[in-house]
């Protein structure tokens, strides 16, 4: 066994792409198992910035296969656009991409449905989603009667017939709910999607079989989570979550590979916390500290460009997420962003308004909204960390901060990142 999982332990955007990119050399294939084009990975390699969304990060490395598993939801024009953008940047995909024929397809009415729930006054609550049709597509997947999978696109007659019926249903619903709604033309949508299907043909396959054959040949897989464990539909801050199992819990279901094949479990965290969209965020700093982190850390959404909400590291939330995702080591990202602060804070516990202790991350929204963080304050460091290349290059206060986080999470920090480049990475093995 030499397979690895890399998942975020916060609310997404933990810079997982950099860790996946670094570990590619030790693996043969990178596997996405959930989410869709709501994810955004930025990888900087040799001064070139690559923005990936649906595509597994391994695509940047020649010789690495990339799998988009059955648990992912695919918007074909978004995937094809990514394939073309990579080609323009000189990245050859060739026969390295494998897209599950069981993955569900995002259709235009999913985007309209999301507008309905996110924008219209009639919706009960807005979640602040990425508006990529993710939630409505997963809703149709579990609802079954309207689900469309990649494999369906290769049975054109059946697909046209079914899509006609689905679109008749969706048109009636959306016309009743959205005053300015232009009904979809079933035939035009089918033509468009069959065109996409033809272009995706070289990639579509049974990825479960592909992955098991790869394992049988001793290939090492790298499972790349999108979003973060606190956005997991079952284990996150529901309902302010994404619609998939974005913790490590999603791996087996979303790829068809049992997790007994994995022996390295990396949880990725930022040295602080960010969140995009709505939902509780106990350590949020809606003040100059938060603004400073946003400015220095360039905390704006890769997919939507929205400013991210920023705050202190929340050890209660990460401890919980590490448990759910089974993390046995932590990659600590963006430590350099905290340089220059007089002091840094870490939430080590929660309490309620009357000072009563809340020992664990609560499962209910109303309880989570009541949580007040109990902080430990540590000295900051003035030094620029971006040139540090080893543990001993870090100033003592930064080392103490890393050790403190490790202790609070209960999992050792094995990697510290001090900048976006591959070389701005410290691997911690001995001498701590
Ligand atoms: P959805 O995934 O578009 O349905 O959005 C649900 C929630 O997840 C919203 O709060 C989004 O901002 C958040 N979200 C989705 N994808 C990402 C991501 O890649 N990074 C951070 N937050 C995300």
């Amino acid at each position: 066994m030499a397979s690895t999982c890399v998942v975020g332990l916060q609310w997404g955007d933990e810079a997982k792409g950099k860790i996946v990119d670094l570990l590619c050399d030790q693996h043969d294939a990178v596997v996405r198992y959930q989410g869709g084009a709501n994810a955004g990975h930025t990888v900087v390699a040799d001064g070139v910035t690559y923005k990936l969304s649906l595509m597994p990060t391994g695509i940047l490395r020649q010789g690495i296969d990339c799998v988009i598993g059955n648990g992912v939801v695919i918007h074909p024009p978004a995937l094809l656009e990514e394939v073309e953008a990579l080609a323009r940047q000189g990245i050859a995909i060739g026969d390295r991409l494998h897209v599950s024929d069981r993955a569900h397809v995002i259709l235009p009415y999913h985007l309209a449905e999301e507008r309905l729930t996110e924008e219209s006054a009639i919706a009960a609550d807005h979640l602040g989603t990425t508006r990529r049709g993710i939630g409505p597509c997963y809703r149709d997947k579990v609802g079954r009667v309207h689900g469309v999978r990649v494999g369906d696109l290769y049975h054109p007659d059946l697909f046209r017939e079914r899509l006609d019926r689905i679109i008749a249903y969706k048109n009636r619903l959306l016309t009743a709910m959205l005053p300015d709604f232009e009904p979809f033309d079933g035939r035009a949508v089918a033509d468009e999607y069959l065109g996409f299907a033809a272009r995706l043909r070289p990639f579509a396959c049974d990825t479960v079989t592909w992955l098991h054959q790869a394992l049988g040949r001793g290939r090492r897989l790298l499972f790349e989570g999108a979003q973060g464990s606190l956005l997991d539909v079952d284990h996150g801050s529901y309902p302010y979550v994404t619609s998939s199992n974005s913790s490590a819990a999603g791996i087996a279901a979303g790829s068809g590979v049992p997790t007994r094949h994995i022996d390295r479990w990396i949880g990725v965290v930022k040295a602080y916390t960010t969140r995009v969209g709505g939902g509780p965020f106990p350590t949020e700093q809606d003040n100059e500290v938060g603004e400073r982190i946003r400015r220095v850390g360039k905390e704006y959404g890769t997919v939507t460009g929205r400013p991210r909400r920023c705050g202190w590291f929340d050890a209660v939330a990460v401890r919980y997420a590490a448990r759910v995702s089974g993390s046995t080591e932590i990659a600590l990202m963006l430590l350099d962003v905290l340089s220059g602060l007089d002091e840094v804070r870490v939430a080590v516990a929660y309490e309620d308004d009357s000072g009563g202790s809340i020992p664990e991350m609560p499962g209910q929204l109303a309880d989570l909204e009541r949580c007040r963080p109990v902080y430990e304050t540590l000295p900051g460091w003035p030094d620029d960390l971006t040139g540090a290349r080893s543990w001993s290059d870090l100033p003592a206060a930064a080392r103490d901060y890393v050790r403190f986080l490790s202790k609070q999470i209960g999992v050792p920090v094995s990697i510290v990142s001090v900048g976006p480049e591959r070389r701005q990475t410290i691997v911690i093995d001995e001498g701590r």
Side-chain angles (χ1 to χ4, degrees):
M1 279 199 307
S3 290
T4 303
C5 95
V6 174
V7 295
L9 299 184
Q10 293 160 317
W11 281 287
D13 308 316
E14 298 92 348
K16 299 172 287 288
K18 172 172 167 173
I19 297 300
V20 172
D21 180 58
L22 281 171
L23 293 174
C24 272
D25 290 344
Q26 299 156 35
H27 296 83
D28 302 292
V30 179
V31 186
R32 276 276 309 265
Y33 58 90
Q34 46 70 231
N38 50 348
H41 297 298
T42 306
V43 180
V44 182
D46 304 323
V48 183
T49 302
Y50 299 93
K51 291 204 182 290
L52 304 174
S53 196
L54 259 167
M55 197 69 82
T57 303
I59 207 73
L60 301 177
R61 302 278 190 136
Q62 287 309 319
I64 301 277
D65 279 290
C66 287
V67 177
I68 297 183
N70 57 279
V72 176
V73 286
I74 294 174
H75 191 213
L79 180 56
L80 288 163
E81 166 53 31
E82 234 176 300
V83 168
E84 280 158 19
L86 284 167
R88 285 195 295 274
Q89 285 188 288
I91 303 290
I93 292 177
D95 59 358
R96 295 189 295 127
L97 179 64
H98 313 278
V99 177
S100 171
D101 57 3
R102 293 176 172 94
H104 278 248
V105 177
I106 297 179
L107 284 126
Y109 47 77
H110 291 131
L111 304 172
E113 287 174 333
E114 191 155 21
R115 271 205 309 283
L116 174 64
T117 49
E118 284 295 298
E119 285 170 28
S120 80
I122 203 170
D125 293 297
H126 303 155
L127 299 175
T129 68
T130 59
R131 319 266 168 107
R132 294 295 185 274
I134 306 295
C137 182
Y138 277 118
R139 192 160 62 213
D140 278 345
K141 172 179 174 173
V142 295
R144 293 150 299 155
V145 282
H146 294 148
V148 173
R149 308 202 293 180
V150 168
D152 295 331
L153 304 176
Y154 299 106
H155 299 278
D157 295 340
L158 288 174
F159 170 65
R160 279 184 188 281
E161 255 174 53
R162 247 191 97 228
L163 192 66
D164 250 1
R165 291 200 301 276
I166 297 172
I167 285 194
Y169 175 97
K170 301 277 184 183
N171 277 345
R172 282 187 71 171
L173 199 80
L174 288 162
T175 308
M177 302 293 276
L178 281 173
D180 58 345
F181 175 69
E182 282 279 336
F184 290 107
D185 172 354
R187 179 191 288 241
V189 176
D191 287 346
E192 191 186 17
Y193 271 65
L194 289 172
F196 296 143
R199 290 159 66 197
L200 287 175
R201 183 72 265 196
F203 310 121
C205 68
D206 172 357
T207 51
V208 178
T209 300
W210 190 94
L211 286 165
H212 281 271
Q213 285 174 348
L215 286 167
R217 290 197 303 273
R219 299 285 189 265
R220 299 153 302 173
L221 307 179
L222 179 48
F223 293 91
E224 174 179 30
Q227 293 85 47
S229 300
L230 300 177
L231 287 171
D232 185 291
V233 66
D234 283 286
H235 303 290
S237 50
Y238 190 89
Y240 292 95
V241 292
T242 191
S243 305
S244 62
N245 285 117
S246 50
S247 68
I251 292 176
S255 69
V257 176
T259 50
R260 67 182 164 81
H261 291 282
I262 298 176
D263 56 5
R264 196 171 171 195
W265 299 82
I266 304 176
V268 187
V269 295
K270 279 179 181 167
Y272 47 90
T273 312
T274 64
R275 163 157 219 176
V276 232
F281 180 175
T283 61
E284 181 167 16
Q285 297 299 299
D286 193 8
N287 54 29
E288 65 281 10
V289 170
E291 276 160 28
R292 187 199 156 98
I293 291 176
R294 185 177 310 114
R295 180 168 42 79
V296 180
K298 301 187 186 68
E299 292 294 355
Y300 294 87
T302 313
V303 173
T304 58
R306 291 179 289 178
R308 296 180 183 139
R309 300 157 64 192
C310 299
W312 297 119
F313 192 90
D314 185 341
V316 185
V318 171
R319 204 183 294 143
Y320 162 76
R323 201 182 276 166
V324 168
S325 279
S327 310
T328 54
E329 56 185 293
I330 299 288
L332 180 67
M333 314 303 288
L334 292 133
L335 184 63
D336 52 298
V337 172
L338 296 183
S339 289
L341 291 165
D342 292 335
E343 50 185 36
V344 282
R345 294 180 161 200
V346 178
V348 295
Y350 294 150
E351 57 184 29
D352 61 23
D353 282 334
S354 45
S357 160
I358 303 177
E360 298 292 342
M361 174 111 178
Q364 300 306 312
L365 182 65
D367 297 330
L368 191 53
E369 278 171 341
R370 281 190 313 123
C371 287
R372 305 279 164 263
V374 178
Y375 288 115
E376 288 257 357
T377 303
L378 287 85
W381 54 91
D383 324 58
D384 173 10
L385 305 187
T386 55
R389 297 290 176 269
S390 69
W391 179 243
S392 57
D393 287 344
L394 292 174
R399 288 202 301 259
D400 286 348
Y401 182 68
V402 176
R403 282 197 195 97
F404 185 77
L405 295 188
S406 226
K407 192 156 165 252
Q408 284 296 323
I409 306 167
V411 180
V413 173
S414 60
I415 298 172
V416 174
S417 172
V418 291
E421 293 277 352
R422 284 174 184 156
R423 64 199 158 82
Q424 292 175 301
T425 309
I426 298 169
V427 176
I428 305 175
D429 34 27
E430 68 265 306
R432 300 182 55 188

